[in-house]
Amino acid sequence: MVVALADENKAAVEEQWRSWEGLNPEILALIFARIMPVEEMVNRVPFVCKGWMEAVAGPYCWSEVDLQAWCRRRNDSHAVDLVVKKLVRRSKFTVQRLSAYRMGEPGFFFVAHCGNFLKALEMPMSDVTDQMVLKHIKPLPNLTLLDVSHCLKITSKGLATFATQCKSLIQLKRNMPPLDAHSPTDDSEPKTVADTMPNLQHIELCFGRFGDSGLSEILTKCKSLIHLDIQGSWNVELNGDLAEMCERLQHFQSPWVDDDSQLSDTSEGSDVSFTDSN
């Protein structure tokens, strides 16, 4: 009796395994994308069985690529570029959302060619320059979110170039490293944002060097703005009617208002190398 039950359980497990293995690759990919981090799908899933390998080798797993946790473990932009290129190729340039730290020119080149598919691009701390943006960026008509925080080699010129190719932007994150409280005022970036991205609804400009003049440009020209975060932007004084204009926003954080929420995700990622040859 015990042996018979054991055989039945074994058969049930084998049947369940075969049902998983035989699932359509697209369905498998949707399941993997929901429950597994990127490094697991690259380094472990392909070695389970042929069906799983085919699922992660195709484009269906890679509509959303979040490499931030993995990138936090590395200071090597070359390694980041290799992974970004590999996964964008796997997606057949159909990535809809890509998040990666410390991206360089090779990785940015691939991302910039995702065309109509790309809706969100988060590339903080990247080595991309104004010249690289001008050289490689292609029309990204459906891009709604752009995060170029801590990208020290991008200036107002690069932001303007993004604006010309990304007409659907409604969210911009341009948070910078903390500066000395007495840094000279520079209003060039907020003025560029106001002139070229008037449809923005959500703007983060923490630790910017701008003052009241730059802030006024944004508040005046970005008519759809509902969320503005300028914490650490010490040159802003909110003189005149600026304070009243800011209070009308649904969400406003100034250099003098504390906020318990974190400006960046601090979750840890596992230190796993991307080693497959595709």
Side-chain angles (χ1 to χ4, degrees), residues 3-218:
V3 173
L5 287 174
D7 289 340
E8 286 184 14
N9 290 336
K10 182 178 180 181
V13 170
E14 290 177 350
E15 179 63 29
Q16 184 179 20
W17 178 263
R18 284 196 295 270
S19 65
W20 268 88
E21 185 180 12
L23 280 176
N24 181 287
E26 184 174 355
I27 297 175
L28 273 175
L30 292 174
I31 296 172
F32 294 154
R34 284 180 176 273
I35 66 175
M36 292 186 181
V38 172
E39 57 266 29
E40 292 282 337
M41 287 195 289
V42 171
N43 288 333
R44 297 185 180 181
V45 171
F47 303 103
V48 174
C49 64
K50 182 179 179 181
W52 288 27
M53 179 179 67
E54 291 176 351
V56 297
Y60 306 113
C61 279
W62 313 111
S63 61
E64 295 191 8
V65 177
D66 187 352
L67 295 169
Q68 291 199 19
W70 180 79
C71 290
R72 286 193 185 97
R73 295 284 192 172
R74 288 156 179 81
N75 293 313
D76 183 2
S77 62
H78 177 66
V80 173
D81 286 338
L82 288 176
V83 174
V84 168
K85 289 165 59 178
K86 178 187 298 182
L87 299 185
V88 171
R89 280 199 301 261
R90 283 192 179 186
S91 78
K92 300 187 185 302
F93 292 87
T94 63
V95 173
Q96 296 181 27
R97 183 185 188 99
L98 187 137
S99 302
Y101 284 96
R102 303 184 184 90
M103 192 157 48
E105 183 171 12
F108 180 70
F109 171 84
F110 273 73
V111 175
H113 285 73
C114 288
N116 295 337
F117 293 95
L118 194 63
K119 297 179 180 179
L121 174 59
E122 297 171 293
M123 44 179 274
M125 301 175 66
S126 291
D127 291 328
V128 177
T129 66
D130 290 343
Q131 292 73 25
M132 293 178 194
V133 176
L134 182 62
K135 179 180 179 181
H136 298 307
I137 195 70
K138 301 296 181 183
L140 299 171
N142 294 316
L143 189 74
T144 59
L145 185 157
L146 175 65
D147 185 351
V148 285
S149 299
H150 293 246
C151 293
L152 305 182
K153 298 177 183 179
I154 293 178
T155 69
S156 57
K157 294 180 180 179
L159 293 177
T161 304
F162 271 115
T164 61
Q165 302 293 353
C166 309
K167 299 293 187 180
S168 298
L169 279 177
I170 59 174
Q171 186 171 354
L172 175 68
K173 297 182 181 182
R174 178 61 172 167
N175 303 311
M176 300 299 281
L179 297 172
D180 186 271
H182 302 290
S183 298
T185 300
D186 182 356
D187 291 312
S188 59
E189 287 199 6
K191 287 185 176 181
T192 296
V193 169
D195 288 336
T196 63
M197 306 178 189
N199 296 321
L200 289 176
Q201 300 176 13
H202 179 126
I203 302 176
E204 295 180 20
L205 296 173
C206 297
F207 295 99
R209 294 173 56 183
F210 57 92
D212 282 3
S213 178
L215 178 60
S216 178
E217 291 281 327
I218 287 178

Side-chain angles (χ1 to χ4, degrees), residues 1 246-247 258:
M1 181 68 176
C246 291
E247 290 174 358
D258 292 330

